[in-house]
Amino acid sequence: MIRHLRFATLYMALGLGANAVMADGLEDLLVGDMRAMVIHEEPQDIADVSFTDPDGNDLTLENYEGQYVLLNFWATWCAPCREEMPALDALQRDLGGEEFAVITIATGRNPLPAIQRFFAEIDVTDLPILLDPRQSMARAMGVFGLPITVLIDPDGQEIGRLRGDADWASEEAVALINAVIGSEDT
């Protein structure tokens, strides 16, 4: 019940234009690597662009409707992207479920065998392999440089963005994500 009241309060504030209250409410949590996270005053629409799974099946963010999503754009050749991948995997393992998902999309030229080998080397077990080979999704979402991580609300709108790498398994990151999704563990 408390979680539902938090959602109602958050969405009421967003709907009434009091979005700065949300940003102000999270301000104390923007510490450590999370200082780089920009929480938007207004949720932003996201282009409806597809990406694929390793079998070539088209997916969109609508597949995650109703969940908060931490969407990470990365590439196999990007050293900071590769460095943060274990933390993203840990965040998905610890918080992933019906309300929240971490998805990582390899954008640009990223051969599937190289991704699979990399995931195996660092023991990534909880993240799906998703691809944006033509960078159409990355371009549509204004991704310039990697890594970029986008926080998306259950309605499919962007509510925050972090440019650069971060320790997504840190106490600061977990506290921020818990506050955003309204977890009772915050």
Side-chain angles (χ1 to χ4, degrees):
M1 180 67 177
I2 292 173
R3 184 178 10 233
H4 296 293
L5 289 174
R6 288 181 184 168
F7 282 122
T9 303
L10 172 65
Y11 282 107
M12 183 177 283
L14 293 174
L16 294 174
N19 300 345
V21 172
M22 179 183 160
D24 288 343
L26 297 176
E27 189 173 273
D28 291 343
L29 297 173
L30 298 178
V31 297
D33 286 351
M34 296 301 101
R35 284 189 311 260
M37 174 69 80
V38 174
I39 303 295
H40 304 308
E41 288 188 25
E42 297 286 335
Q44 299 177 0
D45 289 334
I46 295 175
D48 185 23
V49 180
S50 66
F51 48 95
T52 64
D53 67 15
D55 296 324
N57 298 311
D58 283 337
L59 303 168
T60 67
L61 291 174
E62 284 184 10
N63 293 87
Y64 299 90
E65 189 174 353
Q67 290 182 295
Y68 283 93
V69 172
L70 191 71
L71 169 62
N72 177 268
F73 289 94
W74 75 289
T76 55
W77 49 262
C78 168
C81 301
R82 293 172 65 99
E83 186 174 319
E84 76 177 344
M85 195 61 63
L88 289 162
D89 188 54
L91 184 65
Q92 173 61 22
R93 186 172 37 260
D94 294 345
L95 296 182
E98 290 182 24
E99 293 181 10
F100 176 73
V102 177
I103 62 172
T104 56
I105 298 180
T107 189
R109 185 171 158 76
N110 295 281
L112 184 57
I115 296 171
Q116 292 168 328
R117 190 171 43 253
F118 171 61
F119 275 25
E121 286 170 5
I122 63 168
D123 199 30
V124 168
T125 58
D126 292 283
L127 295 175
I129 293 177
L130 300 171
L131 309 161
D132 179 25
R134 298 181 192 269
Q135 298 179 314
S136 54
M137 184 176 194
R139 278 194 308 276
M141 291 190 63
V143 172
F144 302 105
L146 295 173
I148 297 288
T149 306
V150 179
L151 186 56
I152 301 168
D153 72 11
D155 294 325
Q157 294 187 299
E158 180 176 328
I159 57 175
R161 181 177 288 232
L162 190 143
R163 297 181 196 279
D165 61 317
D167 180 358
W168 290 102
S170 69
E171 288 181 27
E172 296 87 2
V174 171
L176 177 64
I177 298 300
N178 277 331
V180 169
I181 66 175
S183 172
E184 293 177 19
D185 300 327
T186 57

